[in-house]
Amino acid sequence: MDAKIKPIRGTKPADSRPEFQPTELDPSDFLEVAVQPDQPRPSRAEAEAAVKTLLSYIGENTEREGLIDTPRRVVEAYDELFQGYHQCPKEVLERTFGETAGYDDFVLVRNISFTSHCEHHVMPFYGKAHIAYTPVERVVGLSKLARLVDIFGRRLQTQEHLTAQIAAAVDEVLKPRGVAVLIEAEHTCMSVRGIAKKGATTFTSRYTGVFRDNPAEQARFMSMVRDRG
């Protein structure tokens, strides 16, 4: 009796698997102002009362001299630290310039310092962002890329989402041939609590277009980011 070995159903040769494509973000989720005018929000007095509750929770006397004005100060600090919810990323990138003399290589802005807050513990993470894009006829002001990092950074974030949002916004608004974003950051939710490993650095990256499709362009981007000369 001859035995027949049947192939496992659904198996495919390794080289026939579809190429991975990153999930595209819905522009409506990141290009507009995050807080709409008609969105219900607590009053400032309610926000200050919430801060006072948290101070009481940790065991503090909220009536002592040093803490009397703390709820007000915390809410004012939140207004500053999270102002990105009230700013529009699309508006920052929409003004472009066409006098480029036919420039066709990528533009890189590196070492953009930022501070954001982890959405899991509302603790800061901070570091540097590096952004490159290959323009098609028009370029955006260099300071606008730094401004874009601040808008997204001044919202509750994960580093992975922050990286994807920056790349997607540049890609969607400028329509370049490709975008590269690299972020390196230290997270205080990891360095000062929990495992408490000070100095640990997290790297995230996102590539679109020519940077995603051409490893040589990725390598050149990374080389220029790392060049300290």
Side-chain angles (χ1 to χ4, degrees):
M1 180 177 179
D2 295 330
K4 293 184 178 180
I5 300 176
K6 296 182 178 180
I8 299 175
R9 191 181 309 170
T11 58
K12 296 181 180 179
D15 59 359
S16 68
R17 289 179 296 180
E19 181 183 355
F20 170 76
Q21 296 290 340
T23 301
E24 299 299 328
L25 300 180
D26 184 342
S28 64
D29 290 339
F30 65 88
L31 281 186
E32 306 299 335
V33 176
V35 177
Q36 301 302 316
D38 58 348
Q39 181 175 330
R41 298 173 62 203
S43 67
R44 177 172 290 269
E46 290 172 321
E48 292 182 9
V51 174
K52 191 171 183 179
T53 297
L54 288 174
L55 291 172
S56 297
Y57 172 77
I58 65 174
E60 268 289 359
N61 174 12
T62 59
E63 301 304 318
R64 67 179 178 87
E65 182 180 6
L67 291 179
I68 290 177
D69 287 333
T70 296
R72 173 183 59 80
R73 294 191 187 101
V74 170
V75 172
E76 289 176 353
Y78 268 42
D79 285 341
E80 179 181 352
L81 293 171
F82 299 111
Q83 61 184 278
Y85 284 106
H86 304 278
Q87 297 169 333
C88 180
K90 185 177 181 181
E91 289 180 1
V92 169
L93 296 174
E94 278 188 325
R95 184 179 180 186
T96 59
F97 305 92
E99 295 181 354
T100 63
Y103 183 83
D104 61 358
D105 202 353
F106 67 70
V107 178
L108 167 65
V109 181
R110 66 181 189 180
N111 297 326
I112 303 171
S113 59
F114 75 92
T115 299
S116 189
H117 283 74
C118 166
E119 65 183 34
H120 301 136
H121 302 96
V122 197
M123 294 185 69
F125 67 95
Y126 54 88
K128 296 182 182 298
H130 316 279
I131 304 173
Y133 72 101
T134 305
V136 178
E137 296 182 352
R138 303 185 66 82
V139 297
V140 71
L142 301 179
S143 66
K144 304 304 183 183
L145 296 178
R147 185 65 178 147
L148 182 70
V149 173
D150 277 347
I151 290 176
F152 287 128
R154 293 185 177 185
R155 302 178 182 184
L156 292 178
Q157 286 285 12
T158 65
Q159 184 174 330
E160 296 86 349
H161 196 209
L162 175 61
T163 306
Q165 284 182 319
I166 293 171
V170 176
D171 203 42
E172 181 71 21
V173 179
L174 299 185
K175 307 294 185 185
R177 288 193 289 272
V179 180
V181 178
L182 173 68
I183 293 181
E184 47 187 307
E186 180 172 341
H187 294 246
T188 59
C189 59
M190 178 180 176
S191 63
V192 302
R193 63 161 297 280
I195 197 169
K197 296 299 181 184
K198 186 176 181 180
T201 305
T202 300
F203 289 79
T204 51
S205 61
R206 185 72 174 247
Y207 301 106
T208 73
V210 295
F211 290 100
R212 182 187 61 213
D213 301 334
N214 188 347
E217 285 297 274
Q218 291 185 28
R220 198 158 67 96
F221 165 73
M222 291 298 297
S223 177
M224 293 177 69
V225 166
R226 294 297 172 220
D227 181 12
R228 305 302 182 187

